[in-house]
Amino acid sequence: MSSESFFLSTTYNADQEQLEYMTFEDITFIQIFNEAGDLEFQLPVQSSKVLIGKSLFGEGEYKIGFLLDGKSTIHFSTVNFK
């Protein structure tokens, strides 16, 4: 499954200052990596909808890894906060 077909939708809700991800299948957990590639957070999800507050991030580029239940491939999304 490619990353394009993994996400149903990806948006940034400016009013609530949060990233919103919807996927076709349930996500087991997400991982957030900083610009240096260091793992900053690993959060359990168990849902096909993920809301991530901007407050978890500083300035810069981050990679968010999504792991589906029972799968070994992690799908990534890149975000950049200024």
Side-chain angles (χ1 to χ4, degrees):
M1 176 183 293
S2 72
S3 290
E4 291 80 30
S5 64
F6 173 75
F7 294 107
L8 180 61
S9 69
T10 60
T11 58
Y12 178 71
N13 183 322
D15 293 336
Q16 296 183 357
E17 294 189 327
Q18 64 186 9
L19 297 163
E20 299 178 359
Y21 292 93
M22 291 192 69
T23 58
F24 288 101
E25 298 181 46
D26 281 354
I27 301 163
T28 303
F29 64 84
I30 60 170
Q31 297 176 322
I32 299 175
F33 298 88
N34 64 22
E35 281 184 294
D38 299 324
L39 178 65
E40 292 201 355
F41 298 100
Q42 180 168 305
L43 308 167
V45 177
Q46 301 302 325
S47 176
S48 62
K49 183 175 181 180
V50 178
L51 304 174
I52 306 170
K54 183 181 174 186
S55 61
L56 287 179
F57 303 91
E59 288 190 9
E61 185 173 284
Y62 293 83
K63 284 181 77 174
I64 304 172
F66 298 82
L67 183 65
L68 295 175
D69 188 29
K71 305 285 175 113
S72 60
T73 302
I74 297 177
H75 300 271
F76 288 96
S77 175
T78 303
V79 295
N80 196 334
F81 291 103
K82 296 180 181 185

